[in-house]
Amino acid sequence: MRGFSAAVLVAALFVGGCAGPDESATSRVSDEPLVPVADVHPGIRFDIRYATADNFTGERLYASDACLLRASVADRLARVQDRLAAEGLGLLVFDGYRPLSVQRKMWELVPDPRYVAPPDRGSRHNRGAAVDVTLVDAAGRRLEMPTDHDDFTEAAHRDYAGATPTATANRDKLRAAMEAEGFEGIGTEWWHFDAVNWREYDVVGK
Ligand SMILES: [Zn+2]
């Protein structure tokens, strides 16, 4: 656990679109498989916190630390990695596809739709169409950002104006790189990005 109370972490982790309810009840079926992101680009780094006890529950929630995404979404992320590598940077991934069983566990802990997507609707992570990422340098060291991944204070907002110039520049660089390859961010979490066509993917699994 980091230096936050469990309640703050719980509230922080699930605000907004990262796990927010999806309004789309008319999503089209896509047959794209979930693929390991590590297979589409060897340079992408990972810190899958739900596969360790280092998350707000203090429990390991994922059976595997393999990060999965829909195939074309993973391909987009590979292109972002190439784009960043050209300037000596890269991606570090915190979360991708999230099984519904994990969504249910989160809902048990925090049954509040303001913070957790109800499992009967699912989140965009449950569709394999959302990813949580940050920037690293060529040695894999995380670049300064306005907050950590598990922070949901106002400082995590995409347009927060109170961060240092370096953190602000890094946050905006990440956003620009992701948007250039077909992702869109959300207002409340600088690290969360949805594939722009996320509505085309149904929730995967049970
Ligand atoms: Zn997210």
Side-chain angles (χ1 to χ4, degrees), residues 18 37 67-69 73 77 92-97 124-125 128-133 178 183 191-195:
C18 187
V37 176
C67 179
L68 306 178
L69 287 172
V73 180
L77 205 62
L92 175 74
V93 178
F94 296 119
D95 197 20
Y97 168 63
R124 297 166 202 179
H125 282 286
V131 64
D132 296 343
V133 289
M178 295 294 283
F183 290 93
W191 55 84
H192 177 101
F193 294 89
D194 298 310

Side-chain angles (χ1 to χ4, degrees), residues 11-23:
L13 192 54
F14 302 115
V15 172
C18 187
D22 293 334
E23 285 78 26

Side-chain angles (χ1 to χ4, degrees), residues 1-12 56 150:
M1 295 293 292
R2 285 162 290 280
F4 298 92
S5 74
V8 168
L9 278 177
V10 164
F56 76 101
D150 283 352

Side-chain angles (χ1 to χ4, degrees), residues 6-7 13 18-19 26 30 32 39 44 94 107 111 124 129 140 149 151 168 181 184-185 201 205:
L13 192 54
C18 187
T26 57
S30 168
E32 274 184 39
D39 288 357
I44 296 176
F94 296 119
W107 181 252
R124 297 166 202 179
H149 171 233
D151 185 299
T168 301
E181 298 296 350
E184 59 188 3
Y201 302 108

Side-chain angles (χ1 to χ4, degrees), residues 10 16 41 48 65 72 94 175 193:
V10 164
H41 200 301
I48 308 300
D65 63 0
S72 72
F94 296 119
R175 179 182 175 183
F193 294 89

